[in-house]
Structure formats: structure tokens, C-alpha cells
């Protein structure tokens, strides 16, 4: 270094080299001033000028950000997580670039793809700048613990959920504050939805397992004897005997018995449990003879389904003992179903609408109009709000239909009738084909009255000659406003009832 300096400062050659170096330095400074120097990213912030001091290195998908630096003009390409993203060149200056982090499902995140570098890369015509930028993955969710209860030290258990990405720490705590045991030896499934480890001795006191991930944390209670079961939903409050009943909830572990209204039991050999212990199913072997309570016996005790199971007192129309068919088109009442034809099983008589809608008939096609018997105030208290009640019924559809829609009217009030209704399962929200499903409609979608008493005050009993007034009607009308070609409809219905809206969660009784 010293020798070189000496040479630069002696003779005409040294003077020339000094002049050349000065020119290069001056040219480099001019390039920087004109934005042609090596690009540099200083920081990233939100685009709101009022928050200009809020810089960060972590960002959620879909966020618009301002990239601040120097020599950033003339951007040719932008990469986030090694994936090229689009940008608007109008938002590019020498000191900034505005971009939006992609949020579409094809954009790869570092969480589920740990081999991807978490960085922002900007390519200009005069160089490339990189910046450490972490696009956040969805936070973890622990739904349940999969294990054979009761749990003993050394037993293998699994945390089941989703988004088990970029785990920073997994630990057990007895009080949710102090760390009792850090868990370092675990395995994560390829889909990042299951984490498995062997239980250390310190977990046997019970407490909480906490998963700290890069994005956020998740927690679940750990009870070695088995967590308390919770019922959150059922496929039907009045399933047809011979059909499948599905019960959803949490911690439905070791369900040894399902009791039906105190009349009979479904034993463990006839119960199917999901791997996540959030669903059990069984075939209802027979119809209960009275309303009651459905209960599950699990490892943590007995839990009851909210509300009444088989609310026969609330039926308004079943074509057996309550209500009857009046008139209709493409509709009738059938006796008990047989194995040869849909719906194959039934609860005695049932009705339905079957036929083909043609474009000429699309505005007035099939209907079933029936007389009803409204539950008295001894069944539904007079002051019950209409907003607390719903109309439930069983429905069987043989083929999916997309164009046809239903209009349902109660008590002859077409002003309040529900229009453009498509039958779907109350549990799944889907049109279930080839099986009986429960449909549920809020009563406020069908009547104008605010309470059950005011509704009953409007409906009338038969007159002296036995004529049923329109206020004792339940009508279903099918049309297909967009019909351009023949459309086949085959739909059966039964057991219409008005009941309290199903509660979502019931805590267990131990």
C-alpha cells in the first residue's frame, strides 16, 4: 500500500493515475446523484406518510409497502421469497418503490416452504439490492390432542391442528405463565397439521402446552386423565330411523355409549369416531317414543346435547298424526318408504314434489299445500320471541338441482314468505344428496309477528263446518326463474317442527 502511494505521487505517470482516479470517483458520484449507482434498500415501511417512522421486517400477505433506499430508479424486476411479483413503474423513484405483497394461494410462504429465502430482491438496470423481509404465514391453531387416555409418562401424543410453521419454542406450563418443561424432541407431519412427541414426567400434573411460532402462539389445555367433552352440533334433532346421525364437538374421546332419551343405548361397537375426536356418528336403530335428551359417555364423563332430541310435541306437520295434505301439483303423500325407491327409509307417511320443470312452467310449477297444527303455549311459551325459534324439517333430494328454488309460506302469509330458498343441511351447509338431512330456517324469515303469542293470535282453528282456514297452512312452491331447458326435481320432506334455535355449545356434566 505504501509502495503504491509512492508511485502515484512521483512523475508524470503518477499524476496521470491520480487524475484518472479522480475522474472515476467524480463519475461514480455523478452516477449516484443520477440514480445509476449500486441500489441499496435501507428499510421498509407502510405507505401512510403519517406512519413513515414505522419500519419493519415482517409483513402480512396482501400488504402494500414502501421500499426506501437509494439508487432505486429503473427497476426491472422485483422478487419476494424468490418469486417474481408485479409492480407499477409509476410508483418507482430513485429513493423508493411501492409494491404489494401477493396474497393469492399460489404465492409460496417461507413457513410451509422453509427452503425459500425470506428476502426482498430488487433488480435494476444498474445493479441488484436485497433486504431481509419475512412474509408471515398463518398463525398456528391447536384443535385437539390425539392420544390414548389416560396418558402415562412416555406415552406418545399428537397435537392436531393447522399451520404448525416456524416453531420457535414448544413448552409445557402448569400456570400458563412459568415454563415447567421445554419440549425439544418432536416430529411434525408433512402437512404441518400434526406434531408428535413423548410425554415427559413433568406434564403429568396437568396444565397447558404452548406452541410459539414466528407469526403467533397457540395454546391447548393438557389433562392426562382426558379433557372434558363438548357437543357443538348434530345433523338432526329428529333423524329418520335407519339414517346416520352425526354429532360434532371437541374431545369426543372414548365414547363408550350414546343414550337416546333414556330409552336405549348405542354402544361403542356401533359408534364411529373421527381421528381428531371432533365427530362421532352412528345409525339410529329405532325411533324414540318420546322427547328427551341425547347424551354421550366419554372418558371425562357424560355430556348432553343442547335442546330436546326428538321434539315430537313441536311438530306442526308430519302427514301421520299431525296435519294433512290439501292440494298441489307434482306432489302427493306417500306411505312408508320401501327399499326399492327413494327415499328408501321414512318415518311413516311423507310428502314431496317430483317431476320435470319445463321452460314454459318455470314461473308456476310444483307445490304442496298442507294443513298444520301449531304448538300451543304449553309447548312454546307465549312470550317466546320469534327470533329465538326456527322451522326444522327433514329433506331428501335425489339429484342436485341448481336452478330450481323454493318458496315457503306459513299460515297463509305470503308477504312474509321465504323466497329463493335452496335446501341445505343445517350441519354442513351443503345440499346433501341421497340421504335425509335436517334443514333449519329462522322463524323470522317466515312470519311477521315478533312473539309466538302474537303469531297464534293471528291463526284460526277450523270453522263450524270443519273448514281449515288459510292461517293453518304450510305451503312449499317450486319455481325455476332461469330455466331454459327441462330440469328434474325429486324432493321429499317430513316432520316439520318449530323449536328453539339449536344452541351451539353444551358443557359436560361429570
Amino acid at each position: 500500500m505504501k509502495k503504491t502511494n509512492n508511485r502515484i505521487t512521483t512523475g508524470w505517470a503518477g499524476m496521470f493515475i491520480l487524475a484518472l482516479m479522480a475522474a472515476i470517483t467524480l463519475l461514480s458520484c455523478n452516477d449516484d446523484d443520477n440514480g445509476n449507482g449500486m441500489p441499496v434498500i435501507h428499510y421498509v415501511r407502510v405507505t401512510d406518510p403519517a406512519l413513515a417512522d414505522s419500519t419493519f421486517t415482517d409483513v402480512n400477505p396482501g400488504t402494500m409497502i414502501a421500499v426506501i433506499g437509494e439508487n432505486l430508479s429503473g427497476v426491472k424486476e422485483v422478487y419476494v421469497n424468490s418469486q417474481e411479483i408485479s409492480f407499477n413503474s409509476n410508483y418507482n423513484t430513485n429513493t423508493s418503490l411501492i409494491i404489494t405483497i401477493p396474497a393469492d394461494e399460489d404465492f409460496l410462504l417461507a413457513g410451509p416452504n422453509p427452503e425459500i429465502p425470506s428476502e426482498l430482491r430488487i433488480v435494476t438496470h444498474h445493479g441488484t439490492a436485497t433486504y431481509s423481509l419475512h412474509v408471515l404465514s398463518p398463525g398456528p391453531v391447536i384443535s385437539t390432542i390425539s392420544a390414548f387416555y389416560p396418558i402415562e409418562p412416555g406415552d406418545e401424543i399428537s397435537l392436531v391442528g393447522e399451520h404448525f410453521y416456524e416453531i420457535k419454542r414448544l413448552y409445557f406450563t402448569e400456570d400458563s405463565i412459568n415454563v415447567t418443561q421445554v419440549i425439544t424432541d418432536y416430529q411434525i407431519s408433512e402437512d404441518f397439521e400434526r406434531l408428535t412427541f413423548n410425554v415427559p414426567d413433568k406434564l403429568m400434573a396437568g396444565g397447558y402446552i404452548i406452541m410459539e411460532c414466528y407469526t403467533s402462539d397457540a395454546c391447548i389445555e393438557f389433562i392426562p386423565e382426558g379433557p372434558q367433552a363438548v357437543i357443538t352440533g348434530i345433523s338432526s334433532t329428529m333423524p329418520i330411523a335407519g339414517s346416520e346421525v352425526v354429532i360434532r364437538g371437541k374431545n369426543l374421546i372414548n365414547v363408550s355409549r350414546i343414550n337416546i332419551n333414556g330409552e336405549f343405548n348405542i354402544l361403542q361397537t356401533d359408534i364411529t369416531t373421527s381421528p381428531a375426536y371432533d365427530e362421532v356418528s352412528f345409525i339410529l336403530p329405532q325411533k324414540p317414543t318420546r322427547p328427551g335428551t341425547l347424551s354421550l359417555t366419554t372418558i371425562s364423563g357424560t355430556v348432553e346435547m343442547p335442546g330436546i332430541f326428538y321434539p315430537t310435541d313441536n311438530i306442526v306437520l308430519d302427514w301421520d298424526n299431525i296435519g294433512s295434505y290439501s292440494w298441489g301439483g307434482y306432489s302427493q303423500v306417500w306411505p312408508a318408504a320401501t327399499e326399492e325407491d327413494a327415499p328408501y327409509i321414512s318415518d311413516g307417511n311423507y310428502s314431496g314434489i317430483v317431476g320435470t320443470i319445463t321452460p314454459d312452467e318455470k314461473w308456476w310449477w310444483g307445490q304442496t299445500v298442507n294443513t298444520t297444527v301449531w304448538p300451543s303455549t304449553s309447548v312454546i311459551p307465549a312470550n317466546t320471541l320469534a327470533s329465538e325459534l326456527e322451522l326444522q324439517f327433514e329433506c331428501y333430494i335425489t339429484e342436485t338441482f341448481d336452478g330450481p328454488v323454493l318458496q315457503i309460506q306459513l299460515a297463509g302469509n305470503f308477504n312474509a314468505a321465504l323466497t329463493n330458498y335452496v335446501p341445505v343441511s343445517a350441519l354442513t351447509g351443503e345440499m346433501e344428496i341421497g340421504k335425509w338431512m335436517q334443514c333449519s330456517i329462522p322463524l323470522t324469515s317466515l312470519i311477521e309477528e315478533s312473539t309466538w303469542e302474537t303469531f297464534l293470535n293471528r291463526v284460526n282453528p277450523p270453522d263450524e263446518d270443519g273448514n281449515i282456514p288459510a292461517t293453518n297452512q304450510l305451503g312449499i312452491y317450486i319455481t325455476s326463474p332461469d330455466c331454459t331447458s327441462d330440469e328434474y326435481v325429486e324432493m321429499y320432506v317430513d316432520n316439520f317442527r318449530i323449536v328453539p334455535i339449536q344452541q351451539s355449545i353444551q358443557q359436560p356434566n361429570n
Side-chain angles (χ1 to χ4, degrees):
M1 193 77 174
K2 186 182 293 184
K3 184 176 181 181
T4 299
N5 286 338
N6 287 338
R7 286 184 178 179
I8 290 175
T9 56
T10 58
W12 68 268
M15 294 295 294
F16 174 78
I17 292 173
L18 284 174
L20 181 61
M21 292 178 64
I24 292 172
T25 301
L26 180 61
L27 180 62
S28 177
C29 290
N30 288 336
D31 283 345
D32 287 347
D33 293 339
N34 295 327
N36 292 320
M38 183 62 65
V40 177
I41 301 172
H42 292 315
Y43 58 87
V44 171
R45 64 172 176 81
V46 295
T47 55
D48 185 352
L51 302 175
D53 294 334
S54 302
T55 63
F56 48 81
T57 57
D58 298 327
V59 61
N60 285 305
T63 304
M64 180 180 287
I65 61 174
V67 183
I68 308 300
E70 55 185 287
N71 301 322
L72 296 178
S73 60
V75 174
K76 297 167 56 181
E77 300 166 350
V78 178
Y79 295 86
V80 176
N81 289 4
S82 291
Q83 299 159 86
E84 187 173 4
I85 69 170
S86 60
F87 67 96
N88 190 333
S89 59
N90 293 324
Y91 299 146
N92 178 206
T93 70
N94 189 43
T95 58
S96 66
L97 173 68
I98 294 178
I99 61 173
T100 298
I101 304 300
D104 57 272
E105 60 183 18
D106 295 329
F107 182 71
L108 302 179
L109 300 173
N113 303 278
E115 72 282 358
I116 294 177
S118 295
E119 69 174 16
L120 164 67
R121 186 165 83 251
I122 295 178
V123 180
T124 72
H125 61 77
H126 48 275
T128 300
T130 60
Y131 183 79
S132 179
L133 183 68
H134 196 112
V135 183
L136 298 173
S137 300
V141 176
I142 304 175
S143 303
T144 188
I145 296 176
S146 177
F148 291 102
Y149 290 89
I151 296 173
E152 301 292 341
D155 285 353
E156 182 179 272
I157 68 171
S158 294
L159 307 182
V160 180
E162 56 184 351
H163 312 318
F164 294 172
Y165 306 136
E166 302 173 290
I167 297 176
K168 298 167 62 177
R169 185 170 64 156
L170 182 71
Y171 65 91
F172 171 74
T173 170
E174 294 182 13
D175 54 14
S176 74
I177 299 174
N178 301 301
V179 176
T180 305
Q181 172 79 55
V182 176
I183 303 167
T184 57
D185 187 9
Y186 55 81
Q187 299 80 43
I188 302 177
S189 62
E190 292 184 358
D191 59 6
F192 299 94
E193 294 181 353
R194 179 178 288 262
L195 184 149
T196 303
F197 63 94
N198 294 98
V199 177
D201 291 347
K202 289 186 178 180
L203 270 68
M204 300 313 297
Y208 303 89
I209 298 174
I210 297 178
M211 179 187 296
E212 294 182 353
C213 294
Y214 191 97
T215 300
S216 60
D217 303 341
C219 174
I220 190 168
E221 187 175 13
F222 177 75
I223 303 174
E225 298 79 18
Q228 291 185 331
V230 174
I231 293 177
T232 59
I234 190 167
S235 55
S236 175
T237 63
M238 204 168 182
I240 303 297
S243 65
E244 182 185 51
V245 181
V246 177
I247 300 171
R248 288 184 176 174
K250 293 179 62 177
N251 306 320
L252 305 180
I253 301 166
N254 291 0
V255 179
S256 58
R257 182 183 67 179
I258 299 175
N259 182 264
I260 307 297
N261 296 357
E263 295 186 46
F264 57 91
N265 292 317
I266 312 297
L267 300 180
Q268 191 170 32
T269 53
D270 297 318
I271 301 170
T272 300
T273 304
S274 66
Y277 304 113
D278 59 357
E279 184 175 287
V280 296
S281 60
F282 63 94
I283 302 297
L284 184 68
Q286 63 193 67
K287 175 182 175 180
T289 62
R290 61 177 183 269
T293 302
L294 180 148
S295 63
L296 278 67
T297 300
T298 72
I299 193 169
S300 60
T302 299
V303 59
E304 294 183 350
M305 186 197 83
I308 299 173
F309 188 67
Y310 252 77
T312 51
D313 293 340
N314 296 66
I315 290 178
V316 301
L317 174 65
D318 66 1
W319 295 281
D320 292 305
N321 304 310
I322 302 173
S324 60
Y325 178 80
S326 296
W327 63 276
Y330 299 97
S331 64
Q332 66 180 78
V333 174
W334 289 269
T338 66
E339 295 180 357
E340 287 74 32
D341 300 301
Y344 307 108
I345 57 174
S346 69
D347 180 18
N349 296 333
Y350 59 97
S351 187
I353 304 175
V354 179
T356 301
I357 306 176
T358 67
D360 294 336
E361 300 174 297
K362 64 182 182 181
W363 296 111
W364 178 257
W365 180 70
Q367 59 283 131
T368 174
V369 181
N370 310 269
T371 61
T372 55
V373 178
W374 306 114
S376 68
T377 54
S378 64
V379 176
I380 300 177
N383 61 351
T384 303
L385 297 176
S387 59
E388 298 173 352
L389 299 170
E390 65 184 9
L391 177 72
Q392 296 178 357
F393 62 97
E394 303 305 301
C395 183
Y396 188 106
I397 295 173
T398 61
E399 298 179 15
T400 301
F401 54 81
D402 297 321
V405 292
L406 279 61
Q407 180 186 49
I408 302 177
Q409 64 86 6
L410 292 186
N413 189 348
F414 282 91
N415 292 329
L418 175 66
T419 59
N420 298 319
Y421 175 71
V422 177
V424 296
S425 163
L427 184 68
T428 66
E430 303 290 335
M431 180 184 288
E432 298 181 346
I433 305 303
K435 61 190 297 186
W436 284 103
M437 62 179 175
Q438 175 185 297
C439 299
S440 299
I441 302 172
L443 194 59
T444 51
S445 299
L446 296 159
I447 69 172
E448 295 177 305
E449 291 77 18
S450 61
T451 67
W452 184 244
E453 181 177 36
T454 54
F455 173 76
L456 290 181
N457 288 341
R458 182 171 66 81
V459 301
N460 300 303
D463 61 22
E464 295 179 355
D465 297 326
N467 297 316
I468 303 295
T471 52
N472 278 54
Q473 283 186 357
L474 185 153
I476 300 175
Y477 310 82
I478 299 183
T479 59
S480 186
D482 299 322
C483 178
T484 58
S485 60
D486 292 356
E487 297 175 331
Y488 181 71
V489 173
E490 185 174 358
M491 180 186 76
Y492 304 103
V493 289
D494 200 3
N495 291 342
F496 285 82
R497 62 260 188 200
I498 295 177
V499 297
I501 292 176
Q502 285 181 249
Q503 301 298 311
S504 59
I505 294 179
Q506 172 72 29
Q507 295 297 336
N509 299 317
N510 290 318

